[in-house]
Amino acid sequence: MSHTSRPVKAVQRGDARRERWREHRQARRAEFVEATVRAIGKHGADVGMDDIAAEAGVSKPVLYRHFNDKSDLYVAVGEWGAELLMRRLRPLFHENGSPNQRIRRLLDAYLGTIEQYPELYRFVVQRNFADRPVHSDPVSAEKTVIANSLSRILGEYLRLLGLDSGGVEVWSHGVVGMVQASGDWWLDRQSMSRSDLTDYLAQIIWHAIDGVLRSAGLVIDPDEPLEISDQGLRVVAEAEEQEAEHG
C-alpha cells in the first residue's frame, strides 16, 4: 500500500502546484491588462510598452513573460473592453418596456461606454498596437455577440406578432454596424451631444422596424410597452447563457 499511496500523493501535490501557478499567471495577466487600460487612458491609443510597464510597476521583460508579444496583449485588452461593454448591455436585452425605451437604453449604454473609454476604443478598433495579425478579432467578436443578442430579441418580438423572423440576423448585423460606424464618427467629431446622437439613431432604428411591421399590415405605437412572454424571455436568457459559456 505504501508504494502506491506515495506516488498518488506526489501527483496530487504536483497537480495542486500547477493549478496554483496557473491561477497566479491568470491573475497577473489580469493585473497587467488593467494596467494597460490605465496607461491607454493616460497616454492615448498610441501607448507604448514602456508606458504600460511603468504603469504596471514592472519591466518590459516581466510583461513578456505573461504575453507572447504585443498582439497577445492587444487581444487581451480587446477582450477586457468587450466584456466591459457586454456587462452593461446584456441586462438591458432582458428589460421590458416600450420599443423606444429598449432601443434608447441600449444605444445610451453603448455610446456611454465608448464616451467613457474613447482612447481604449480607438486602441482596439485601430489595431495599431498589434505587431502581427491576431488570432482573434475582439471587435468582430463583440459585434457578433451584440448582433446575436439583438437577433434573439427581435425574433421573439416578431414571433409574438405572428410574423416571419427569417430576416432578423441580417437586420441585427446591419443595425450594429450602423451604430458602430456612427459612434466612430461621433468620437472623432464630437459635433453633437450623446443625447442628440441617441435620438437620431433611435429614430432611424425605429423607422426601419416600423417599415417592416407596416409592410405586414401592423402599426405599433413605439412608446407603448410590448412585452415578451416569460417563456420567450427564458428562451432568450438560455441562449445568452449558452453563448457566454462557449464564448
Side-chain angles (χ1 to χ4, degrees):
M1 292 291 293
S2 60
H3 291 293
T4 59
S5 60
R6 287 174 187 169
V8 169
K9 290 180 179 178
V11 169
Q12 290 174 341
R13 286 195 297 269
D15 289 343
R17 281 196 297 270
R18 281 193 293 272
E19 180 62 20
R20 286 195 299 271
W21 176 241
R22 186 184 67 81
E23 291 174 354
H24 170 74
R25 285 184 60 82
Q26 287 180 335
R28 289 294 279 168
R29 274 179 65 98
E31 290 173 8
F32 292 148
V33 167
E34 291 179 1
T36 304
V37 172
R38 293 194 303 271
I40 292 168
K42 292 178 180 178
H43 302 283
D46 294 327
V47 67
M49 287 295 285
D50 288 329
D51 301 317
I52 296 169
E55 181 65 33
V58 298
S59 64
K60 284 198 295 184
V62 171
L63 282 178
Y64 281 120
R65 288 179 202 158
H66 294 81
F67 300 93
N68 297 329
D69 50 29
K70 290 174 68 177
S71 294
D72 189 23
L73 177 56
Y74 160 80
V75 170
V77 171
E79 290 172 347
W80 185 96
E83 178 57 29
L84 169 71
L85 178 60
M86 288 311 300
R87 282 200 306 270
R88 296 181 178 187
L89 291 181
R90 196 172 283 119
L92 302 181
F93 284 110
H94 307 295
E95 289 186 8
N96 278 317
S98 72
N100 264 341
Q101 287 173 330
R102 294 174 67 96
I103 292 168
R104 289 171 185 274
R105 282 195 298 252
L106 288 165
L107 287 171
D108 189 63
Y110 175 78
L111 296 173
T113 301
I114 67 173
E115 183 181 42
Q116 183 180 358
Y117 295 93
E119 293 301 327
L120 174 62
Y121 180 81
R122 294 185 181 103
F123 174 90
V124 176
V125 171
Q126 293 171 3
R127 303 166 64 103
N128 294 335
F129 187 81
D131 51 2
R132 62 171 175 78
V134 295
H135 65 273
S136 63
D137 182 354
V139 177
S140 294
E142 170 197 290
K143 288 169 64 177
T144 298
V145 170
I146 296 172
N148 287 346
S149 297
L150 186 58
S151 294
R152 284 188 281 269
I153 292 295
L154 286 176
E156 285 299 320
Y157 271 129
L158 290 177
R159 286 186 286 274
L160 172 68
L161 296 169
L163 300 180
D164 177 22
S165 61
V168 293
E169 288 190 66
V170 176
W171 302 331
S172 297
H173 281 270
V175 167
V176 170
M178 179 192 70
V179 172
Q180 184 190 20
S182 299
D184 290 348
W185 170 85
W186 177 63
L187 280 184
D188 287 339
R189 297 291 187 86
Q190 290 291 313
S191 57
M192 66 178 66
S193 67
R194 187 173 101 207
S195 176
D196 284 345
L197 180 60
T198 299
D199 287 343
Y200 289 133
L201 289 174
Q203 186 178 32
I204 293 170
I205 292 169
W206 169 248
H207 281 299
I209 295 172
D210 186 50
V212 172
L213 296 177
R214 286 177 184 270
S215 69
L218 292 175
V219 178
I220 291 176
D221 185 341
D223 295 312
E224 288 295 321
L226 182 62
E227 311 292 10
I228 299 178
S229 67
D230 290 342
Q231 181 180 359
L233 286 173
R234 282 196 297 272
V235 169
V236 172
E238 288 171 2
E240 295 282 346
E241 290 174 2
Q242 291 176 1
E243 184 171 55
E245 288 175 1
H246 294 90

